[in-house]
Amino acid sequence: MTFLGELRADLGDAVSTDAAVLGSLTADKSGHDSRSTPLALVTARSIDDVQATLRLATEHGVAVVPRGAGTGLAGGAIASAGEVVLSTLAMNRILEVSVADELAVVQPGILNGDLNAALAEYGLWFTPDPASRAISTVGGNIATNAGGLLCAKYGVTRESVLALKVVLADGRLLSLGHRSVKGVTGLDLTALMIGSEGTLGVIVEATVRLRPLPTAPVATIGAWFGDVVTAAAACAAITAAGIRPAALELMDAAALRAIDAHLGVHLSERGNSFLILQTDGAGSAAEAADALEIISRGGGDAELTVDPADGEELFAIRRAFHPALEAQGTVLIEDVAVPRSALPQIFAEIAAIGERFGISIPTVAHAGDGNLHPNFVYEPAADGSVPEAIWAAAGELFAAAIRLGGTLTGEHGIGLLKRAWLRDELGDDQFELQRQVKAVFDPQGLMNPGKVY
């Protein structure tokens, strides 16, 4: 019997070869499209479904692309001809919430936002906060080690994962990690799986750490600066002072101009850079007052509010950034990170790169943790690809981030889009060692082939 025949015999209507369905799996939110239709889609409904799919794929030598909601920005869940897409989106239940232990056990397909909506009645929350939280899955958050606006205070996804169940390429099920807060038995394979982008196995269950919802009033500061380098210096001064805001976001002049054009407003008349800071928890008021003093001393024109509606209006400026750019054309959303003290230098580097290439690079930064998203708006090449000049500019951006002690990806991952630069950051020895680690878990190279390495 053929591979597809055996797959259908085992999984029935969980297997689809519908052309329209398969056509939707050649792209993700990165803008990249393989333009190469995969062999089939398996919509797994249980761990057994995942194991059966991977066992058959290994027997027949068929490549498997794990996929959640497809919201990734690095091309990590894109499928091509001859590959099977294994979707965990239908595995979306909360299996347990333990208030006493401040943890939840969930299936990988549950949306980040839906999980937190359910946890609210317990007074708890799952703190990873990617901008895509309303549409991205917890499994996808873990597979990419997703970040977001709140990472400066609460950390990226890896800080909120206690244990995982993972199915390997040959169908074996591993139970990794522990429910206890502490645990150092053997090598930390749980941490290895976090951020592995589907190249080592398929995450089928997660035990995640929860936190009590903040109850103190939230304070929000919006501040305008004459230039983004000065604003970045103020952000670096805030973190150097030991202040840990829940969110600290920074936008440059090009970003503000794009929002002005999109919304018909005049934000850029107030300044060439906009900073938004939010504090929460018991020390919220004192932290906000200290931050306000630093901002004002650093040249910012600032306003502070504890009114939730006013704070929401300030954050609406930040949320308008990506829709404003998408209205201008095709967008390559980049993702680099540097030490927080190097924020002024990396913004200066971005401006210099834009001048050299004659392009505008609107940038927003999670300034609290040094993670920047420079965006390139471009006209696609005839084949729909990113023009070489844009990749050349991005390459200089990556090199600058690494030179300043940072990384070429802070939260989006490597996927397809950044493979060419991975060795530049890791070096030859570490790059080859990582390839060898992958081979231990996936000796036939069937798990998400062509991604990362």
Side-chain angles (χ1 to χ4, degrees):
M1 188 181 292
T2 65
F3 168 69
L4 280 179
E6 290 189 50
L7 201 60
R8 286 196 176 98
D10 274 11
L11 300 178
D13 62 3
V15 181
S16 175
T17 55
D18 180 85
V21 171
L22 298 183
S24 68
L25 304 174
T26 65
D28 62 7
K29 291 293 185 181
S30 69
H32 185 80
D33 194 320
S34 70
R35 291 180 170 78
S36 179
T37 306
L39 182 65
L41 167 69
V42 174
T43 302
R45 297 157 296 196
S46 66
I47 293 175
D48 288 345
D49 286 355
V50 175
Q51 290 183 281
T53 301
L54 291 174
R55 276 196 298 265
L56 287 171
T58 292
E59 289 174 15
H60 290 267
V62 176
V64 177
V65 178
R67 187 175 173 107
T71 61
L73 293 166
I78 290 174
S80 299
E83 299 174 344
V84 169
V85 176
L86 178 53
S87 171
T88 57
L89 199 56
M91 297 171 64
N92 59 5
R93 293 187 297 125
I94 299 173
L95 303 176
E96 178 190 353
V97 175
S98 171
V99 176
D101 291 324
E102 294 185 342
L103 62 81
V105 182
V106 301
Q107 293 183 314
I110 189 167
L111 299 184
N112 184 303
D114 289 350
L115 173 59
N116 274 325
L119 292 173
E121 68 176 278
Y122 300 97
L124 297 168
W125 66 314
F126 176 59
T127 59
D129 187 53
S132 60
R133 62 188 179 278
I135 56 173
S136 64
T137 65
V138 170
N141 293 170
I142 295 169
T144 59
N145 194 19
L149 273 65
L150 303 180
C151 294
K153 183 171 184 177
Y154 295 106
V156 294
T157 300
R158 68 168 169 259
E159 275 78 55
S160 295
V161 178
L162 292 169
L164 295 172
K165 288 187 179 179
V166 178
V167 178
L168 298 182
D170 60 8
R172 285 179 293 165
L173 177 65
L174 295 183
S175 293
L176 308 174
H178 39 75
R179 290 172 63 100
S180 55
V181 174
K182 292 181 178 178
V184 293
T185 308
L187 298 177
D188 190 352
L189 297 186
T190 310
L192 183 63
M193 289 294 169
I194 300 167
S196 62
E197 301 186 49
T199 63
L200 303 180
V202 179
I203 295 165
V204 292
E205 186 178 294
T207 301
V208 296
R209 186 195 310 270
L210 309 178
R211 293 176 184 262
L213 280 166
T215 55
V218 170
T220 306
I221 296 172
W224 305 86
F225 287 82
D227 64 86
V228 74
V229 174
T230 302
C235 292
I238 288 167
T239 55
I243 299 169
R244 291 293 176 267
L248 180 56
E249 299 289 297
L250 181 58
M251 303 169 69
D252 67 4
L256 294 177
R257 288 194 298 269
I259 294 171
D260 281 350
H262 183 55
L263 299 181
V265 294
H266 305 283
L267 300 173
S268 54
E269 292 181 0
R270 294 194 59 181
N272 290 314
S273 181
F274 178 66
L275 178 156
I276 183 168
L277 179 150
Q278 194 166 77
T279 59
D280 65 5
S284 176
E287 285 186 321
D290 291 344
L292 184 64
E293 181 180 347
I294 292 171
I295 290 168
S296 298
R297 196 166 60 237
D301 174 15
E303 55 189 72
L304 185 153
T305 180
V306 293
D307 182 272
D310 291 343
E312 181 61 27
E313 283 187 16
L314 292 171
F315 266 96
I317 297 173
R318 166 64 177 85
R319 278 192 288 273
F321 175 67
H322 287 300
L325 294 189
E326 289 172 347
Q328 294 183 355
T330 305
V331 184
L332 175 67
I333 304 173
E334 272 311 332
D335 166 44
V336 297
V338 296
R340 291 172 294 194
S341 60
L343 274 173
Q345 295 99 306
I346 191 65
F347 270 106
E349 292 276 1
I350 292 168
I353 292 167
E355 288 180 9
R356 281 197 297 276
F357 285 86
I359 58 176
S360 174
I361 310 176
T363 301
V364 65
H366 306 313
D369 56 24
N371 187 190
L372 302 95
H373 296 305
N375 285 240
F376 298 84
V377 182
Y378 64 92
E379 286 295 327
D383 62 356
S385 63
V386 178
E388 285 302 317
I390 296 297
W391 278 127
E396 290 199 13
L397 168 70
F398 303 152
I402 294 170
R403 187 170 62 250
L404 290 169
T407 175
L408 59 90
T409 177
E411 58 188 8
H412 294 170
I414 298 296
L416 284 171
L417 271 61
K418 292 190 173 181
R419 292 177 304 173
W421 295 276
L422 182 60
R423 192 185 290 266
D424 292 345
E425 178 172 336
L426 298 183
D428 290 340
D429 290 343
Q430 187 184 166
F431 181 86
E432 292 303 328
L433 184 60
Q434 290 202 17
R435 286 169 56 108
Q436 291 168 32
V437 170
K438 174 175 167 53
V440 170
F441 286 85
D442 178 25
Q444 294 187 49
L446 300 178
M447 295 302 305
N448 218 5
K451 313 304 191 326
V452 185
Y453 303 105

